[in-house]
Amino acid sequence: MKLVLLDFLRSLRERQELEGVIINLLRAMRWTVVASPQTGVRQGGVDFAAVGIDPDDGIKRYFLMVVKSGDIDRPAWQDGVQAICPSLHEILNTYLPERVPSEYQELPVKILLVTGGCLKQELTGDWAGFTRKFSEPNRQFAFWGGDELSGLIETHLLNERLFPETCRSAFRKVLALAGTRDVISPHFVTLTKELLNAESSVPNGIRGIRTINLSLRILLRWCEDLGNLNEAWLCAERSLLLCWEWGRVKKQFKSKAYTVEFSKLYDTYFITCNKYVNKLAPYCLIPDGLSRSVGCSAIEYHLWTQEILGRLAAHGLNLMVRVQTDDSEKRLKNLQNVARLIAHMLRNNPIAQSPIFDDHAIEIAMALTVLLAAPDTQEYAKQWLEDLLARVRAAYKYVGCHYPIDTENFDDLLDILYGGKENKEEHTRASTLFPILADFCLIYDQRDAYQELITLVKEVFPHSCLQLWFPDETTDERLYVANAGLESGASYTCMKLPDTLEGLSSEIAATMAHVWDSNNLSCFKEGMPIMAWISARHFRTPPVPLLWRRLIPLVTDSSKATAVTEQV
C-alpha cells in the first residue's frame, strides 16, 4: 500500500493536487489548520500553518509548511520568487516575528518542506547547511517527501480504523485492474460500502467519505495514466450516489462536516467528467469520430454513441450546477461549449440520432435539457426533434431494425437485427421515449414536431402503450442504490397525446397535481436534482419527469437561456 501511495504522490504534477491530499492528511492527524493556501493573498512564505502533535516525538508544535510538487532540484530551491529558499527566509524574517497567532506563540516551531517527490542529492548539502544555520532550541526543520507522506497517509488516512483490511484488499484489486475494462469495479463498490458501513458512527462515516475521495483520486490518476477513464467515471458516479444515500439515511444533509466532504467528492466527480470530456472532444468533431475512438462493430458503435451522448449530457448538467452557484460568464460559456459539443457529436455521428433501446430516452432527455443552454443549441435541438422522429419512422416502417425496443436485453436487439421483421410489434409494446419527446416538443414550442409525433404514434405505433414512471414515497429509499423503477413508484400507462401543445400542457398540469410530489425526494429538497439524473443514467432508473417538466412554465426562447439553466 505504501508503494501505491508513493507512486500516486509522485504523479501529482500540480501543486494544488498535492495540497488537496495534505489538507485531508492534516485533518486525519487531528491537527488544527490555522492557515491554508489562498490565491492572491501574501502568506509570508507559508502554504500551511497547523498546530498538532509531532509524530516524531509526541510534542505539540506549531508547524509551518512550504509545499512543492515533484522532486526538489536546484531551480526549485533558489530560482524565482516562488523558490523554496526565499520562502524559508520570508518565514524567518516576516512570518515568525509578526504573524504567529498570540495563542500559539509559546509553542515550539517546526518548519516543514513538503513534496510528493524527493530532495535531489545535489541539494542535500544546501538543505543540511540551511537547517543547521537557522535551527534553534525552539525551532526545528524537517523534510517530508514522498516516503514520509505515504507513511503518514497509510498510518492516519488508511489505518485499520478508517480502512479495514478487507477494504485494503479490495483497493489493491481495484488498482490491479484499473483501466482494463469499461464496467464499474465490483471491488470499488465493496470498498465504498465498507467505508460507509451503516453500523458505524457519523464521524467514522465522514472520514469514510474523505477516504473514498482519496481513493477515487488515486484511481483517476491510474486510469488516466493507462489512457482509459471509463472505470474512473463509473466508480465516481457510484461513490457519489452511495455517499448521498449515506447522508440521507444518517440525516446529515444539514451537517457542515458532511456537506464539506460531499462537496469535495462531487468536485472529484466533476474533475473526472471534465477530463473524460476533454479527452473525448476531438473525436466528436470529426465525421464518425466515435467509431475511431473505440474501434468496435456497427452495433457496438451504435450503443457506444448513446453512452457518449449520456456522458456529455451528464457533464453539461454538472456545469449547470456550477452556473447555479456562480453565474459567471466563464462558467456559462463552458456550459454552452459542452452543449455545442453535444450538437457536433450528433451531427458527426448520425447513428446517435437513432435510439435502439427505449431507455435511451434517458440520454435524449438529458441532452435536450443541456441543449437549452444557448440560442444556437436550442435551434439545433428543435431540428434534432424532427430528425429523430423521422428516423424512428423510417427505421421501423422501412428498414425493419434500429428502432427503440422496449427491453434492455442485448439478445432481443440481435433478434430484431438478424431474426426477421415479424417481432417488431412484440418488442415495441411500450414506450417512454414518445411521452418524453412530447414534453420536449412543448418545452421547445415545436408544434410541427409534435404533430409529427402524434401521427407517428397513430399510424406506426398504434400498438404501443405510452407510459411515464413517477416516484412515490418509497422511491427515495431506492433511488441512489439501485433501479428504483423496479421496486417503487407507479407508471402512468396508456397515455393519449392531446391534439395540441396547449392540451398537452393542461394534461401535464393535471397529472402533476395528482401524482406524488417528486419535490419530496431528498435530491430535490436539498437542491441537488442532478443526483436523480445521475441515478437514471447509472442504474437505468426511469428518469423523474419533474426533472424536465419544471421547465415547462419557462417555455423558452433565446432570451431565456440563462433563466432555464438556473432551474435545472
Side-chain angles (χ1 to χ4, degrees):
M1 181 62 73
K2 187 173 181 179
L3 291 175
V4 169
L5 293 170
L6 181 59
D7 187 53
F8 167 67
L9 290 169
R10 285 175 174 166
S11 72
L12 299 179
R13 300 176 182 89
E14 299 295 331
R15 199 181 76 167
Q16 292 83 353
E17 295 178 311
L18 180 59
E19 288 169 353
V21 173
I22 290 172
I23 193 70
N24 282 332
L25 175 61
L26 298 182
R27 288 170 177 161
M29 293 171 68
R30 300 185 181 277
W31 286 15
T32 300
V33 178
V34 179
S36 57
Q38 298 181 51
T39 303
V41 177
R42 292 188 60 84
Q43 294 183 273
V46 172
D47 292 309
F48 287 93
V51 176
I53 302 300
D54 193 331
D56 294 332
D57 55 19
I59 295 174
K60 185 177 182 180
R61 299 183 189 276
Y62 190 73
F63 293 89
L64 301 175
M65 299 183 181
V66 178
V67 179
K68 297 293 178 182
S69 60
D71 294 337
I72 296 178
D73 53 14
R74 189 158 298 281
W77 173 258
Q78 65 184 23
D79 292 351
V81 295
Q82 297 296 323
I84 295 166
C85 192
S87 295
L88 292 173
H89 278 293
E90 191 173 4
I91 290 173
L92 295 171
N93 298 329
T94 303
Y95 192 97
L96 287 176
E98 301 176 2
R99 304 186 65 170
V100 177
S102 58
E103 62 267 33
Y104 303 130
Q105 289 180 356
E106 299 302 317
L107 291 176
V109 173
K110 195 167 195 176
I111 300 171
L112 300 173
L113 175 56
V114 184
T115 176
C118 65
L119 187 69
K120 291 287 191 179
Q121 189 171 358
E122 64 191 87
L123 279 179
T124 54
D126 298 72
W127 174 247
F130 186 95
T131 57
R132 185 167 52 250
K133 179 178 180 180
F134 293 103
S135 291
E136 297 179 356
N138 228 23
R139 184 170 68 210
Q140 298 179 3
F141 291 82
F143 174 76
W144 282 7
D147 287 321
E148 291 79 5
L149 280 179
S150 59
L152 290 168
I153 289 171
E154 186 172 21
T155 300
H156 296 282
L157 276 177
L158 307 177
N159 59 22
E160 292 295 331
R161 183 166 55 88
L162 289 176
F163 210 162
E165 184 59 36
T166 54
C167 293
R168 293 189 179 194
S169 175
F171 192 46
R172 293 188 191 106
K173 292 174 184 176
V174 169
L175 296 184
L177 298 172
T180 64
R181 55 199 168 187
D182 296 332
V183 297
I184 190 168
S185 165
H187 306 297
F188 199 90
V189 176
T190 299
L191 170 70
T192 303
K193 289 181 176 179
E194 286 286 340
L195 290 169
L196 294 174
N197 188 334
E199 302 302 320
S200 66
S201 66
V202 168
N204 280 343
I206 298 295
R207 285 193 290 270
I209 296 174
R210 189 179 302 144
T211 307
I212 290 166
N213 193 23
L214 175 62
S215 303
L216 274 176
R217 292 281 184 148
I218 297 173
L219 176 62
L220 173 59
R221 179 64 68 179
W222 278 53
C223 289
E224 194 173 12
D225 288 345
L226 292 168
N228 186 348
L229 294 173
N230 290 315
E231 186 175 359
W233 179 302
L234 294 171
C235 289
E237 271 188 340
R238 181 66 69 87
S239 298
L240 201 66
L241 291 164
L242 289 175
C243 289
W244 183 272
E245 171 65 6
W246 182 89
R248 186 193 69 81
V249 171
K250 296 289 187 178
K251 297 180 173 56
Q252 291 297 300
F253 290 136
K254 304 304 180 185
S255 159
K256 182 178 180 180
Y258 171 80
T259 54
V260 166
E261 297 305 328
F262 185 84
S263 295
K264 292 178 181 177
L265 184 67
Y266 185 85
D267 285 343
T268 298
Y269 168 67
F270 180 89
I271 290 168
T272 304
C273 296
N274 194 56
K275 287 180 179 290
Y276 187 96
V277 169
N278 287 339
K279 180 181 177 182
L280 186 72
Y283 297 102
C284 297
L285 301 176
I286 54 177
D288 295 314
L290 294 183
S291 66
R292 306 181 194 186
S293 71
V294 291
C296 55
S297 67
I299 187 62
E300 289 174 321
Y301 170 41
H302 204 153
L303 293 171
W304 184 241
T305 59
Q306 294 298 320
E307 176 71 14
I308 295 304
L309 177 63
R311 294 191 183 191
L312 291 176
H315 191 47
L317 293 166
N318 280 333
L319 288 164
M320 284 184 168
V321 172
R322 296 295 173 106
V323 169
Q324 290 177 35
T325 57
D326 177 8
D327 60 351
S328 66
E329 183 177 346
K330 181 180 178 180
R331 290 200 167 177
L332 181 58
K333 184 178 180 180
N334 289 340
L335 167 60
Q336 293 173 338
N337 285 340
V338 170
R340 292 182 182 112
L341 186 62
I342 291 173
H344 283 302
M345 189 279 282
L346 290 168
R347 287 193 191 99
N348 288 316
N349 298 269
I351 198 170
Q353 301 184 39
S354 301
I356 51 178
F357 283 124
D358 184 64
D359 76 347
H360 285 156
I362 297 170
E363 284 72 27
I364 291 171
M366 293 172 72
L368 285 169
T369 301
V370 175
L371 290 171
L372 287 164
D376 57 318
T377 56
Q378 288 181 28
E379 291 306 309
Y380 175 78
K382 293 174 184 178
Q383 185 61 51
W384 182 31
L385 279 169
E386 295 182 3
D387 292 346
L388 196 153
L389 294 172
R391 285 175 177 271
V392 171
R393 174 187 285 273
Y396 187 88
K397 194 170 182 179
Y398 304 113
V399 180
C401 59
H402 300 297
Y403 51 82
I405 63 174
D406 59 6
T407 75
E408 301 174 24
N409 192 318
F410 189 73
D411 290 338
D412 290 339
L413 186 60
L414 295 179
D415 186 39
I416 291 291
L417 288 172
Y418 307 114
K421 300 180 181 180
E422 64 276 4
N423 294 323
K424 290 198 299 183
E425 290 192 7
E426 178 185 347
H427 292 303
T428 55
R429 289 174 295 187
S431 173
T432 59
L433 175 63
F434 294 152
I436 289 175
L437 291 179
D439 284 3
F440 277 98
C441 285
L442 177 59
I443 291 170
Y444 281 95
D445 195 23
Q446 284 300 94
R447 298 177 184 275
D448 290 344
Y450 183 67
Q451 291 305 315
E452 170 57 27
L453 176 59
I454 292 174
T455 302
L456 179 67
V457 171
K458 287 181 178 178
E459 295 181 358
V460 183
F461 294 95
H463 56 280
S464 295
C465 174
L466 276 57
Q467 59 185 31
L468 280 177
W469 174 82
F470 291 89
D472 63 17
E473 62 275 5
T474 67
T475 298
D476 213 33
E477 301 170 5
R478 299 170 174 83
L479 188 60
Y480 316 105
V481 295
N483 185 333
L486 299 178
E487 298 181 357
S488 70
S491 291
Y492 180 30
T493 61
C494 300
M495 298 172 60
K496 302 297 182 184
L497 296 178
D499 293 335
T500 65
L501 287 180
E502 288 76 14
L504 178 63
S505 180
S506 298
E507 181 167 312
I508 288 173
T511 302
M512 298 303 285
H514 285 89
V515 298
W516 185 77
D517 188 358
S518 299
N519 282 304
N520 290 317
L521 293 172
S522 61
C523 57
F524 285 94
K525 278 185 176 180
E526 302 303 325
M528 284 288 286
I530 191 173
M531 298 303 298
W533 279 123
I534 294 172
S535 172
R537 210 201 75 79
H538 190 85
F539 293 120
R540 312 313 295 169
T541 299
V544 179
L546 183 62
L547 286 166
W548 63 86
R549 285 191 164 182
R550 59 206 183 113
L551 304 178
I552 289 174
L554 296 172
V555 174
T556 185
D557 56 38
S558 60
S559 66
K560 296 181 181 178
T562 304
V564 170
T565 62
E566 291 174 353
Q567 297 294 320
V568 177

